[in-house]
Amino acid sequence: MMILSVRDLRVRAGERLILDGVTLDVRAGEVCAIMGPNGSGKSTLTGVLAGRPGLEVISGTATYLGRDLLAMPAEERARQGLFLAFQYPVEIPGVNNVYLLKASLNALRKHRGEPELDAFEFLNLVRAKIRQMQMDESLLNRGVNEGFSGGEKKRNEILQMSLLEPTLALLDETDSGLDIDALKVVADGVNALRSPDRAIVMVTHYQRLLDYVVPDQVHVLAGGRIVRSGGRELALELERRGYDWLREGTAAA
Amino acid sequence: MKSNQQELESLVGRKYRHGFVTDIASDTVPPGLSEDVIRVISTKKGEPAFMLDWRLKAYRRWLKMTAPTWAHVHYPPIDFQGISYYSAPKQRTDGPKSLDEVDPKLLETYDKLGIPLHERARLAGVAVDAVFDSVSVATTFKERLAEAGVVFCSFSEAVQNHPALIERYLGTVVPVSDNFYATLNSAVFTDGSFVYVPKGVRCPMELSTYFRINASKTGQFERTLIIADEGSHVSYLEGCTAPMRDENQLHAAVVELIAQDDAQIKYSTVQNWYPGDENGVGGIYNFVTKRGDCRGRNSKISWTQVETGSAITWKYPSCILRGDGSVGEFYSVALANHYQQADTGTKMIHMGRNTRSTIVSKGISAGHGQNAYRGLVKILPGAEGARNYTQCDSLLMSETCGAHTFPYIEVRNPTAVVEHEASTSKISDDQLFYCLQRGIAAEDAVNMIVNGFCKQVFKELPMEFAVEAQNLLAVSLEGAVG
């Protein structure tokens, strides 16, 4: 089953053209890695799919579960099971982390016509997940990402993801800035989510994460286009050779 | 793609929910102010001579005063002769003896406002004094409070039944000549609440007064006096609403608090006067003088205010920290949306040794709202070891609103420690997008973020009212962000 289908997507931010014709298919059960040098448009791609403001679609389409994704407001995309793990999770001072989590889960449940969880049921659920993420329970009662370390923020994203159980998870450089232990925890969280009816798109600069979460397909984004696609071996090649040879390749083509 | 900005802007314009008018026959004195009008008010209330003298003294003083212009607010001159200074729902001259005798229309009004006066239907543990225009129409739980020795009644009743306390304490915190509006209030005030908590008594329930302006072309001038005797504790809350009208109405109240040795007073306000419409037409001018006197050693006065209503708010609930070791606190959330103007803050006057004060002010500006924090921290020479901590945060929700901070610090004792922190922030597109991406509706997201911003203040409110304050803020912000 096709989960996400992007066709010739061109996107600009302000005056600057960032995505210049991206085409991508992600099927149920797949883990897809998007790699590429800094400034190649990786975060713009996940951003535009999630509905980040300030990005303008010039042409092209994105179809999610057969529906026009780009026509949906951001919260609707989320309620339809699209999740973005942010590269820079934002701080919301004074709002309890657990409160945001509960509001979020219940918004999704409500949308699906399921009963909202009460505080007790929710707490049991979230406590189990937090153990899985090897997070400190005290993070639940702190402000959303307020004073969290870089690693805590990323784990918090994965905690949210495992709680919301998305159909399509977009991970925007979730591995950056993590030490090896945190990376393993994050990878475990992602692997736990892998299932035949879900898809995961991981944006990453480094191959490292792919040692722990083995992708089904790897795409290289450079200059706003996908310049090379392949399997796991492509990621290893990138690690060996860097990105420059691909850039030259684009120029020659 | 619709920007978050637009989305925010569409959020903060929900309508005022308490704007209805109660159709009730009232006894209203014709507009105008003179010694005769003051005599009429005093006579209607059957006051003892000392009260009339006090009023007239204030009036004569007021005639020589001019309205203050230093606040960061703008409004046309007020025609003090165009205001009626007394309006009361018609009732038997001796007043209702119990709730059963209160006009059902009044009970219905308070029901609609969510303030049921029937005691059996009341929130458990909260006694209410209901002030309608110029008079108190009902006070609940009086008997139960009396058993504990607590006096909680309308100001008029207190003048009749406890004249000695009134004569001893009235005007001792806010003197007759204090300021233009306080002096006007002293001349014409019509009712309000009176609380006396005797030595060593912990008031067994929350006390609250609910102020309602109903009649048009009237002003509301109430006076509240709370005395906490040695070692006593009391928590008091006031709420306020008014109908929607195109004219501006004046509300000039005076609140005086007195805390003796080891006494504590917690005074909370949820102010939701009609703020005017989205074009700035109508609304209440809320010009209020509130001051607490920590007269005794180790006494404590804590002000918490949530100011969401009124076209203009001008108030500075203050603490005079006279007793050694006394503590003053001020926690404030002030919202200025549409064309609302707020100039609010506090004064902490440290006189005693080892006095401490805390100020936490959260200003939210939206639409064309203008929000000013104005605060004075004054450490007098005798205030050895005084400490103050001030935190002053502003949240901007549109391109057209304003936030202003006017801190005044005067330190005349070298041992004092005074800290001031200030911040200005916006609800960022990133914060909003983060919430939307988690499936949370924009409106809920804004409420969540604003409530997070106000959390430090809300947690100071009595439990029953913290939720009310959050809801009120949500309503007041609907359609307000940008």
Side-chain angles (χ1 to χ4, degrees), chain A residues 50-53 75 78-79 82-84 86 90-96 99-100 103-104 107-108 145 157 160, chain B residues 1-4 7 428-431 433-442 448-453 455 470:
Chain A
R52 183 190 293 283
E75 67 272 31
R79 291 171 193 170
L82 183 149
F83 179 91
L84 171 64
F86 285 69
V90 41
E91 299 189 6
I92 310 180
V95 175
N96 264 359
Y99 184 81
L100 177 93
S104 175
L108 267 58
N145 293 317
E157 293 294 291
Q160 295 183 20
Chain B
M1 191 178 302
K2 195 171 146 195
S3 78
N4 286 353
E7 223 159 308
S428 69
D429 275 1
D430 286 346
Q431 285 174 326
F433 175 56
Y434 192 80
C435 295
L436 293 176
Q437 214 303 304
R438 297 301 182 249
I440 297 165
M448 194 187 286
I449 295 166
V450 171
N451 275 313
F453 175 75
K455 190 182 195 174
Q470 285 191 20

Side-chain angles (χ1 to χ4, degrees), chain B residues 61-70 80 179-181:
Chain B
R61 179 87 190 202
W62 181 75
L63 287 174
K64 295 186 201 125
M65 298 169 89
T66 48
T69 53
W70 45 262
F80 291 97
N179 72 74
F180 185 79
Y181 292 107

